[in-house]
Protein backbone atom coordinates (compact mmCIF):
# COMPACT_ATOMS: atom_id res chain seq x y z
CA UNK A 1 0.00 0.00 0.00
CA UNK A 2 0.88 3.64 -0.45
CA UNK A 3 -0.36 6.61 1.60
CA UNK A 4 -0.59 10.05 0.00
CA UNK A 5 -1.34 13.42 1.58
CA UNK A 6 -3.17 16.43 0.23
CA UNK A 7 -3.88 20.10 0.78
CA UNK A 8 -7.58 19.18 0.86
CA UNK A 9 -7.22 17.88 4.45
CA UNK A 10 -7.17 14.19 3.56
CA UNK A 11 -4.75 11.33 3.29
CA UNK A 12 -5.51 8.43 0.97
CA UNK A 13 -4.45 4.80 1.10
CA UNK A 14 -3.85 3.13 -2.27
CA UNK A 15 -3.20 -0.40 -3.44
CA UNK A 16 0.34 -0.23 -4.79
CA UNK A 17 -0.21 -2.90 -7.46
CA UNK A 18 -3.55 -1.80 -8.88
CA UNK A 19 -3.60 1.90 -8.00
CA UNK A 20 -7.08 1.47 -6.52
CA UNK A 21 -8.15 3.71 -3.65
CA UNK A 22 -8.58 1.68 -0.44
CA UNK A 23 -9.42 4.34 2.15
CA UNK A 24 -9.73 8.09 2.57
CA UNK A 25 -8.67 9.49 5.93
CA UNK A 26 -10.75 12.57 6.67
CA UNK A 27 -10.61 14.70 9.79
CA UNK A 28 -7.85 17.28 9.40
CA UNK A 29 -9.19 20.81 8.94
CA UNK A 30 -6.25 21.94 6.83
CA UNK A 31 -3.53 20.56 4.57
CA UNK A 32 -1.94 17.25 5.54
CA UNK A 33 1.84 17.68 5.45
CA UNK A 34 3.10 14.10 5.83
CA UNK A 35 2.00 10.54 6.57
CA UNK A 36 3.73 7.33 7.59
CA UNK A 37 2.80 3.69 8.12
CA UNK A 38 3.53 1.92 11.40
CA UNK A 39 6.20 -0.80 11.09
CA UNK A 40 3.50 -3.51 11.03
CA UNK A 41 1.43 -1.57 8.46
CA UNK A 42 -1.69 -1.59 10.66
CA UNK A 43 -1.73 2.12 11.50
CA UNK A 44 -1.03 5.41 9.79
CA UNK A 45 0.13 8.67 11.38
CA UNK A 46 -0.63 11.95 9.63
CA UNK A 47 0.78 15.43 10.34
CA UNK A 48 -1.42 18.41 9.64
CA UNK A 49 -1.37 22.17 9.30
CA UNK A 50 -4.37 22.20 11.69
CA UNK A 51 -1.96 21.82 14.66
CA UNK A 52 -2.62 18.10 15.01
CA UNK A 53 -1.16 14.75 14.18
CA UNK A 54 -3.63 11.91 13.89
CA UNK A 55 -3.39 8.16 14.29
CA UNK A 56 -5.56 6.01 12.02
CA UNK A 57 -6.44 2.36 11.51
CA UNK A 58 -4.88 1.64 8.10
CA UNK A 59 -7.51 -0.93 7.08
CA UNK A 60 -10.74 0.80 8.07
CA UNK A 61 -9.61 4.44 7.98
CA UNK A 62 -11.02 4.92 11.50
CA UNK A 63 -9.50 7.73 13.57
CA UNK A 64 -7.78 6.30 16.68
CA UNK A 65 -6.26 9.39 18.31
CA UNK A 66 -5.67 13.11 17.82
CA UNK A 67 -2.31 14.48 18.99
CA UNK A 68 -2.23 18.25 19.56
CA UNK A 69 0.51 20.84 19.14
CA UNK A 70 0.31 24.63 19.44
CA UNK A 71 1.15 25.14 15.74
CA UNK A 72 1.25 23.21 12.46
CA UNK A 73 2.67 19.68 12.63
CA UNK A 74 5.28 18.90 9.99
CA UNK A 75 6.02 15.20 10.53
CA UNK A 76 4.72 12.20 12.45
CA UNK A 77 6.96 9.13 12.50
CA UNK A 78 6.69 5.81 14.30
CA UNK A 79 9.34 4.26 16.52
CA UNK A 80 10.86 1.03 15.19
CA UNK A 81 8.59 -1.08 17.43
CA UNK A 82 5.50 1.01 16.58
CA UNK A 83 4.71 1.81 20.22
CA UNK A 84 5.51 5.52 19.97
CA UNK A 85 5.16 8.37 17.49
CA UNK A 86 7.39 11.45 17.35
CA UNK A 87 5.89 14.63 15.90
CA UNK A 88 7.63 17.85 14.86
CA UNK A 89 5.99 21.26 14.81
CA UNK A 90 6.21 24.95 14.07
CA UNK A 91 5.65 25.41 17.83
CA UNK A 92 9.43 24.81 18.17
CA UNK A 93 8.98 21.38 19.79
CA UNK A 94 8.89 17.73 18.98
CA UNK A 95 6.67 15.45 21.04
CA UNK A 96 6.68 11.72 21.75
CA UNK A 97 3.32 9.97 22.05
CA UNK A 98 2.10 6.54 23.13
CA UNK A 99 0.38 4.92 20.13
CA UNK A 100 -1.85 2.66 22.24
CA UNK A 101 -3.37 5.51 24.28
CA UNK A 102 -2.55 8.70 22.35
CA UNK A 103 -1.06 10.20 25.51
CA UNK A 104 1.89 12.56 25.50
CA UNK A 105 5.03 10.92 26.91
CA UNK A 106 7.63 13.68 26.58
CA UNK A 107 8.15 17.08 24.94
CA UNK A 108 11.48 17.83 23.26
CA UNK A 109 11.99 21.57 23.76
CA UNK A 110 15.33 23.13 22.89
CA UNK A 111 15.21 24.47 19.36
CA UNK A 112 15.03 28.25 18.97
CA UNK A 113 12.81 27.96 15.92
CA UNK A 114 10.45 25.71 14.01
CA UNK A 115 11.16 21.98 14.08
CA UNK A 116 10.93 20.61 10.54
CA UNK A 117 11.42 16.92 11.15
CA UNK A 118 11.91 14.35 13.90
CA UNK A 119 12.87 10.68 13.59
CA UNK A 120 13.78 7.77 15.83
CA UNK A 121 17.10 5.95 15.73
CA UNK A 122 16.93 2.33 14.49
CA UNK A 123 17.01 1.03 18.09
CA UNK A 124 14.33 3.53 19.22
CA UNK A 125 16.52 4.94 22.00
CA UNK A 126 17.27 8.32 20.42
CA UNK A 127 15.51 10.92 18.33
CA UNK A 128 17.03 13.44 15.93
CA UNK A 129 15.29 16.74 15.15
CA UNK A 130 16.04 19.38 12.51
CA UNK A 131 15.28 23.04 13.09
CA UNK A 132 14.97 26.52 11.68
CA UNK A 133 17.65 27.59 14.20
CA UNK A 134 20.34 26.10 11.89
CA UNK A 135 20.84 23.06 14.16
CA UNK A 136 19.88 19.45 14.50
CA UNK A 137 19.56 17.95 17.95
CA UNK A 138 19.85 14.41 19.30
CA UNK A 139 17.60 13.47 22.23
CA UNK A 140 17.12 10.60 24.64
CA UNK A 141 13.81 9.16 23.40
CA UNK A 142 12.83 7.96 26.87
CA UNK A 143 13.28 11.04 29.03
CA UNK A 144 13.58 13.81 26.42
CA UNK A 145 16.98 15.05 27.57
CA UNK A 146 19.18 16.58 24.85
CA UNK A 147 22.27 14.50 24.09
CA UNK A 148 23.96 16.59 21.38
CA UNK A 149 23.45 19.71 19.28
CA UNK A 150 24.77 19.45 15.72
CA UNK A 151 26.01 22.91 14.74
CA UNK A 152 27.69 24.14 11.59
CA UNK A 153 24.92 24.77 9.10
CA UNK A 154 24.39 28.41 8.15
CA UNK A 155 20.67 28.16 7.36
CA UNK A 156 17.69 26.16 8.53
CA UNK A 157 18.08 22.40 8.72
CA UNK A 158 15.20 20.87 6.76
CA UNK A 159 15.91 17.19 7.35
CA UNK A 160 17.77 14.85 9.67
CA UNK A 161 17.82 11.06 9.92
CA UNK A 162 19.86 8.23 11.39
CA UNK A 163 21.74 5.76 9.20
CA UNK A 164 20.32 2.20 9.21
CA UNK A 165 22.96 1.11 11.75
CA UNK A 166 22.35 4.17 13.97
CA UNK A 167 26.01 5.22 13.92
CA UNK A 168 25.62 8.29 11.73
CA UNK A 169 23.17 11.13 11.22
CA UNK A 170 22.65 12.94 7.94
CA UNK A 171 21.33 16.51 7.83
CA UNK A 172 20.21 18.57 4.85
CA UNK A 173 20.07 22.34 5.07
CA UNK A 174 18.76 25.36 3.22
CA UNK A 175 22.46 26.37 3.03
CA UNK A 176 22.73 23.90 0.11
CA UNK A 177 24.77 21.37 2.06
CA UNK A 178 24.21 17.94 3.50
CA UNK A 179 26.40 16.78 6.36
CA UNK A 180 27.14 13.41 7.92
CA UNK A 181 27.70 13.36 11.69
CA UNK A 182 28.85 10.78 14.22
CA UNK A 183 25.65 9.95 16.11
CA UNK A 184 27.42 9.39 19.44
CA UNK A 185 29.77 12.38 19.55
CA UNK A 186 27.76 14.81 17.42
CA UNK A 187 30.91 15.64 15.45
CA UNK A 188 31.28 15.88 11.69
Amino acid sequence: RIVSVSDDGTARVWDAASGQLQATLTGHSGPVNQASFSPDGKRIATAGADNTARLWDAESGRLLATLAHAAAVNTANFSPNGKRIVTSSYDCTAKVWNTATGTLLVTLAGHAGWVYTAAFSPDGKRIVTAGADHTAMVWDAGNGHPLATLTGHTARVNFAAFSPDGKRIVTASQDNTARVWDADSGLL
Side-chain angles (χ1 to χ4, degrees):
R1 291 173 294 166
I2 297 168
V3 62
S4 64
V5 298
S6 176
D7 281 350
D8 69 4
T10 67
R12 290 181 171 82
V13 181
W14 307 87
D15 179 277
S18 70
Q20 294 296 311
L21 178 66
Q22 294 183 326
T24 301
L25 312 178
T26 58
H28 283 284
S29 62
V32 180
N33 296 322
Q34 185 256 354
S36 63
F37 279 100
S38 62
D40 65 6
K42 294 182 179 180
R43 290 165 292 163
I44 295 171
T46 55
D50 62 356
N51 303 353
T52 69
R54 294 175 188 245
L55 181 63
W56 311 84
D57 180 283
E59 292 296 325
S60 69
R62 182 173 58 90
L63 179 63
L64 303 173
T66 300
L67 317 173
H69 272 270
V73 180
N74 296 310
T75 60
N77 292 304
F78 286 91
S79 62
N81 66 7
K83 294 183 178 182
R84 294 170 293 162
I85 293 172
V86 63
T87 55
S88 64
S89 174
Y90 282 173
D91 68 8
C92 305
T93 70
K95 294 183 178 185
V96 181
W97 311 84
N98 180 304
T99 58
T101 63
T103 56
L104 178 64
L105 299 173
V106 66
T107 298
L108 310 177
H111 281 284
W114 296 344
V115 181
Y116 290 108
T117 191
F120 282 94
S121 61
D123 63 6
K125 293 181 180 179
R126 294 171 293 167
I127 292 169
V128 63
T129 56
D133 59 1
H134 306 185
T135 70
M137 293 182 71
V138 181
W139 310 82
D140 183 295
N143 61 27
H145 292 139
L147 301 173
T149 301
L150 312 180
T151 60
H153 284 292
T154 59
R156 73 183 193 196
V157 181
N158 295 322
F159 178 81
F162 284 90
S163 62
D165 64 6
K167 294 182 180 180
R168 303 228 187 304
I169 293 170
V170 64
T171 56
S173 171
Q174 199 73 19
D175 67 8
N176 298 320
T177 67
R179 296 175 183 227
V180 179
W181 312 79
D182 181 277
D184 291 326
S185 70
L187 300 174
L188 277 174

